[in-house]
């Protein structure tokens, strides 16, 4: 429960009994008589942010994850990457060879640290379910949307017409 909000009256099973304060939490308002209501105050979003986006608003990040390891049959690598793309349709494109692969996708995250953390877990967390080869992550690039579009405009990076899907190098 947030400080300054009234306690839930839902009884013992209510959500307001966590570590942040429960029915007995004062929220910094001092002692109250039993049954006394707390006065709530609200502020308009414009008053809070004055034209700025709140820090917790998610942004889009372009992620390129590179993995490498011992040789695996190309058909198995392709099938595993296709399964990963099926399980997680956010994947834009994957390129592969028998000993390495590259996955590109958009991630929505609060900041670069969150986007990178998700990317670094992607291969390991889905190794079993998608049947991915036991390769290690050897490269990671996470850039914001504006930087991605600047690179495309300057002629760097994959062409926008690059087909979506799983393709050999």
């Amino acid at each position: 429960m947030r400080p300054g909000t009234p306690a839930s009256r839902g009884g013992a099973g209510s959500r307001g009994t966590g570590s942040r304060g429960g029915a007995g939490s004062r929220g910094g308002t001092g002692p109250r008589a039993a049954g006394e209501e707390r006065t709530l105050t609200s502020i308009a979003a414009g008053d809070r942010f004055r034209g700025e986006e709140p820090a917790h608003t998610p942004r889009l990040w372009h992620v390129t994850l590179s993995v490498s390891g011992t040789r695996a049959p190309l058909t198995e690598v392709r099938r595993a990457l296709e399964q990963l793309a099926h399980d997680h349709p956010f994947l834009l494109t994957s390129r592969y060879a028998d000993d390495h692969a590259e996955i590109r996708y958009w991630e929505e995250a609060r900041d670069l640290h969150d986007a990178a953390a998700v990317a670094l877990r992607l291969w390991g967390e889905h190794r079993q379910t998608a049947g991915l080869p036991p390769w290690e992550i050897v490269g990671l690039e996470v850039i914001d949307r504006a930087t991605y579009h600047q690179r495309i405009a300057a002629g760097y990076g994959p062409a926008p017409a690059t087909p979506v899907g799983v393709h050999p190098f």
Side-chain angles (χ1 to χ4, degrees):
M1 175 160 66
R2 293 186 317 256
T5 58
S8 172
R9 297 176 197 225
S14 70
R15 293 182 351 183
T17 60
S19 63
R20 295 176 117 187
S25 175
R26 299 284 180 237
T29 60
R32 289 191 321 263
E36 181 182 341
E37 291 293 323
R38 189 179 307 186
T39 304
L40 298 177
T41 305
S42 64
I43 54 177
D47 292 340
R48 291 173 66 191
F49 305 119
R50 300 249 181 244
E52 296 177 18
E53 296 223 6
H56 63 277
T57 300
R59 296 167 48 193
L60 284 177
W61 301 89
H62 187 266
V63 176
T64 303
L65 182 69
S66 300
V67 294
S68 178
T70 59
R71 291 179 178 246
L74 284 174
T75 55
E76 290 181 23
V77 174
R78 180 180 181 93
R79 187 215 46 80
L81 289 172
E82 286 173 344
Q83 182 64 47
L84 181 63
H86 175 71
D87 292 346
H88 300 281
F90 57 80
L91 295 179
L92 289 176
T93 190
S94 297
R95 299 187 306 164
Y96 66 94
D98 62 357
D99 64 348
H100 65 282
E102 178 183 89
I103 300 168
R104 294 175 181 260
Y105 66 96
W106 287 99
E107 180 68 55
E108 186 177 71
R110 181 185 49 156
D111 57 24
L112 180 133
H113 297 281
D114 288 351
V118 170
L120 289 170
R121 289 191 311 264
L122 177 72
W123 191 262
E125 286 181 357
H126 299 288
R127 186 174 293 155
Q128 292 286 338
T129 58
L132 297 167
W135 295 344
E136 67 176 328
I137 297 172
V138 295
L140 174 64
E141 179 185 58
V142 181
I143 57 175
D144 68 352
R145 187 176 181 180
T147 303
Y148 174 81
H149 288 294
Q150 287 172 350
R151 286 185 180 178
I152 297 300
Y156 300 111
T162 300
V164 173
V166 177
H167 308 282
F169 270 105

